[in-house]
Amino acid sequence: MMRCGKKTREGEQYSSEEAARLAGIAASHELGHQLLHLLHPFGQKHCLMNPVPMFAYRAWAKQLSAKDCALGSSKEMTPGAHRFHYEQP
């Protein structure tokens, strides 16, 4: 069982298999930031890029729907919504 953050998640526990599946979904969220430069569409519960509330990954994942939150469906979900700025030394 995965025990990290159990108190934060109101006692929610995950089996190893579920933890691996949820970690993959969370990694997809992070890749959306890095590869597509997507932002957080706060309050849009169907969007993968909506932040996980209080580390409750199971509840977050159950609400996700690609049909209800397609790429480009909002400003935040549009590739290139965030521009990284790098300063050369």
Side-chain angles (χ1 to χ4, degrees), residues 1-63:
M1 292 281 184
M2 185 175 178
R3 294 185 183 0
C4 298
K6 182 179 164 188
K7 286 182 182 179
T8 307
R9 293 190 311 265
E10 296 181 5
E12 188 172 273
Q13 292 183 309
Y14 309 124
S15 67
S16 295
E17 293 80 17
E18 185 179 22
R21 183 180 68 78
L22 293 172
I25 296 170
S28 297
H29 169 98
E30 296 306 326
L31 286 170
H33 289 306
Q34 295 300 313
L35 299 178
L36 298 176
H37 301 188
L38 299 175
L39 294 170
H40 289 136
F42 291 102
Q44 296 181 33
K45 65 182 180 180
H46 300 299
C47 292
L48 174 69
M49 297 308 295
N50 188 46
V52 179
M54 298 304 295
F55 305 105
Y57 288 92
R58 183 183 293 134
W60 171 70
K62 282 182 181 178
Q63 296 182 62

